[in-house]
Structures are given as C-alpha cells and as structure tokens.
Amino acid sequence: FANLALGFSVAITLQNLLLASTLAALLSLTLVCGLGLSTLGPWVAAIATLFLATSPLALAIARRGWGDGIIGLLALAMVGAVIRSAQAPTGRGWPLLFFALASYGILVKETGLLLLALGTLALAILAWRSSRRVKAPALMLSGGMAALLVSIGVLAFACGGLAPLRASFARAA
C-alpha cells in the first residue's frame, strides 16, 4: 500500500510539473506578443510569437517538467520589467517587480543568478542615464544585492541553515 501511495503522489507531482511547464510556455507566448506589440509593433510581435510557437527547443521544453520553461517565462517577465522601467524612469514599481522575479528565478534555476546580474546592471545604467547622480544606480545595485540575499536566505531556510546549504553546494561542485 505504501508503494501505491508513493507512486500516486509522484504521479501527481509529475502532472503538476508538466502543467506548470505547459502553462509557462503559454504565458511566454502571451508575454512575447505583448512585449512585441507594446515596443516594436504588430508585425514584429506576430513574427516573434510565431517563432516562439514553432521553435523545436521551446516545444521540447514545454512537454517536459523542467524548470527551463519557468525560468524562460521569468526571464521574459524580467526583460519586460526592465523595458517598462526604461520607458518610465521615475517609476519604482518596475524595478521592484524585476527584483522580485529575479529573486524567485534564482530559486527556480541557477541561471536566475545571471539574469539578476544582467538585469541589475541594465537597471543601474538606466538609472544613471536618467539622473546622472550616483544615488540612483547605487539604489539599483543595492536592490540586486537585496534580491540575492533574499534568495540565499530562502535556500538556507529550506536546507536547514547555512552549513547544510554550503555542504550541498560543495557536493554539487
């Protein structure tokens, strides 16, 4: 009976992963279309959405329960937040959304760290260009550091502390 129950719980988890991956693929299509329409025009949006919808790599990822589809969706959302931040440099909501998404992205896949670094750099450059003062880019850099620290804190909590977290990274290396 225990094996049957374990198999059932594993099947539910696998179904949830497949559903999350498929949902991420559909949301990615919607986000690509929305970003294209708002920034580059309808033809570019249609072509970009068509390329993503027919990409063999995107189709293969959407059919499996991997974190790649979810991190791809998060990356698109982070790009959208950076673009919106560039369009409205005085707004604080878009950088906050970026940092929240990037912090979660690190928890989904290690690639999220690269996305956090590149996006934080882009936000710092945008802040510098809009204000020409040191305070604005420093605020963006500190936001990136805070997002990283939140992710490390969540990982440490999930592992039972910093020592087990370090040990798990040492085993992975």
Side-chain angles (χ1 to χ4, degrees):
F1 183 76
N3 288 339
L4 179 64
L6 178 63
F8 183 69
S9 66
V10 169
I12 289 174
T13 304
L14 180 60
Q15 287 292 4
N16 289 343
L17 285 173
L18 292 173
L19 180 65
S21 186
T22 303
L23 186 60
L26 291 173
L27 289 173
S28 293
L29 285 170
T30 305
L31 198 53
V32 163
C33 185
L35 285 172
L37 281 172
S38 66
T39 57
L40 301 170
W43 283 105
V44 174
I47 291 169
T49 305
L50 184 63
F51 275 136
L52 183 60
T54 59
S55 164
L57 182 61
L59 290 172
I61 288 173
R63 291 187 187 126
R64 290 171 174 76
W66 294 341
D68 295 20
I70 297 169
I71 197 71
L73 173 64
L74 289 171
L76 283 170
M78 286 185 255
V79 167
V82 170
I83 289 171
R84 297 288 184 232
S85 182
Q87 291 173 342
T90 58
R92 295 283 180 224
W94 294 112
L96 289 175
L97 176 64
F98 169 81
F99 292 130
L101 291 170
S103 183
Y104 180 67
I106 293 171
L107 299 176
V108 171
K109 195 168 172 110
E110 300 85 6
T111 312
L113 184 59
L114 177 65
L115 297 172
L116 171 65
L118 292 174
T120 301
L121 181 63
L123 287 172
I125 290 170
L126 288 170
W128 171 256
R129 289 181 63 194
S130 68
S131 72
R132 296 287 182 198
R133 294 181 15 221
V134 176
K135 183 180 178 184
L139 185 62
M140 295 302 156
L141 293 173
S142 62
M145 185 59 69
L148 178 62
L149 290 174
V150 166
S151 295
I152 291 172
V154 170
L155 285 172
F157 179 75
C159 288
L162 285 176
L165 179 63
R166 273 190 244 124
S168 66
F169 279 127
R171 281 191 300 271

